[in-house]
Amino acid sequence: MTPADLLSEGELTVRGRIREASNAALYCTVAHDGQEAACVYKPVAGERPLWDFPDGTLAAREVAAYLVSEATGWGLVPPTVLRDGPYGEGMVQLWIEAVPDAELLALVEEDEPGPGWKAIGLAEVGEGRTALLVHADDARLRRLAVLDAVINNADRKGGHLLPAAGGRLYGIDHGVTFNVENKLRTLLWGWAGEALTEEAVTVLGGLQEQLAEGAALAERLAGLITPAELDATRARVDALLTAKAHPEPGGEWPAIPWPPV
């Protein structure tokens, strides 16, 4: 049984609440036929209304982000399903145990990032002082930056990056994605304007085919986001392939989420 099947078919038991989350997020276990795993359950009923996203759609957007991630072959989002639970329909995602002390973000006193790092921007550190916020020049983060550009992620914070065992890296919390308007807000601006890797161009070409009308991925996304949002996703992939470069901040929308971590 795959993790996604376990999440879909297993008995969901709530164990506690994740209090740091802005929407209702419950720590659970899911069990079926002798298999058990920890997971996160976010019921639609616990979603906080947002002015720029239709009510009751955040859970579906999390599942849509997982499907697009799987279509890239990069596996950057933990297995995620939409199912019924103790508090109604919601998103259920495999729990990822983060590896401590992974150096993905840092604050440095220098004006330029050192070797192996990319600049994000200046951050206030108290008493009128600023420091340069940087992220690692890491191929896994670069892939995630491409995925975020495709799904129009409006909230890529440092706390949404989960380095895991075996060198894996996951991104979580994809409720505010797939908007028709450009809302890309991320800490991963270090490659802004740089040419996409050959790998990314190949992956985006494959994604373009999978998003075509009638293709399996497009059909599955059609049940999770609106037709206009699906068209906008196709347009973002087309634009990335035309430019063959990482997007740059647009200026009409805050480029970095708050708080950043």
Side-chain angles (χ1 to χ4, degrees), residues 47-58 61 175 179 226 229:
E47 293 180 4
R48 176 171 54 90
L50 298 172
W51 68 268
D52 51 347
F53 287 85
D55 293 351
T57 66
L58 305 190
R61 294 170 194 277
N179 202 293
T226 69
E229 289 167 341

Side-chain angles (χ1 to χ4, degrees), residues 10-244:
E11 181 180 357
L12 196 60
T13 303
V14 176
R15 303 297 184 185
R17 182 168 184 174
I18 303 171
R19 299 192 178 276
E20 297 83 1
S22 56
N23 296 289
L26 305 173
Y27 178 77
C28 302
T29 54
V30 61
H32 181 76
D33 197 23
Q35 294 188 46
E36 183 172 301
C39 59
V40 177
Y41 164 47
K42 296 182 181 179
V44 171
E47 293 180 4
R48 176 171 54 90
L50 298 172
W51 68 268
D52 51 347
F53 287 85
D55 293 351
T57 66
L58 305 190
R61 294 170 194 277
E62 295 240 32
V63 178
Y66 165 68
L67 293 178
V68 174
S69 168
E70 288 300 285
T72 65
W74 286 334
L76 295 168
V77 178
T80 311
V81 302
L82 195 65
R83 58 163 289 178
D84 194 36
Y87 299 103
E89 185 179 59
M91 182 280 297
V92 178
Q93 184 176 83
L94 188 69
W95 179 269
I96 300 298
E97 202 65 51
V99 175
D101 302 324
E103 294 188 358
L104 298 177
L105 299 169
L107 284 168
V108 297
E109 299 294 334
E110 291 78 12
D111 295 332
E112 298 291 337
W117 295 92
K118 290 283 189 177
I120 302 168
L122 293 175
E124 294 185 6
V125 293
E127 299 180 354
R129 296 171 52 246
T130 60
L132 186 64
L133 181 61
V134 298
H135 66 68
D137 188 3
D138 185 303
R140 301 169 301 170
L141 288 180
R142 192 166 190 174
R143 290 171 175 171
L144 194 57
V146 174
L147 176 65
D148 283 343
V150 170
I151 66 176
N152 198 14
N153 191 352
D155 197 31
R156 176 61 72 207
K157 297 177 180 177
H160 300 168
L161 304 172
L162 296 182
R168 295 291 300 271
L169 176 73
Y170 293 98
I172 60 169
D173 285 345
H174 297 109
V176 286
T177 49
F178 294 101
N179 202 293
V180 171
E181 298 180 9
N182 178 22
K183 292 183 179 291
L184 184 60
R185 292 197 304 173
T186 175
L187 286 178
L188 305 180
W189 286 117
W191 298 282
E194 292 188 17
L196 294 170
T197 64
E198 291 185 11
E199 177 196 44
V201 172
T202 299
V203 165
L204 288 168
L207 193 56
Q208 189 179 53
E209 294 178 2
Q210 296 180 75
L211 287 169
E213 189 171 350
L217 176 62
E219 293 293 319
R220 295 189 69 182
L221 291 178
L224 299 167
I225 58 177
T226 69
E229 289 167 341
L230 182 52
D231 285 341
T233 303
R234 294 183 178 115
R236 288 190 296 270
V237 172
D238 292 346
L240 286 166
L241 283 170
T242 297
K244 288 188 170 53

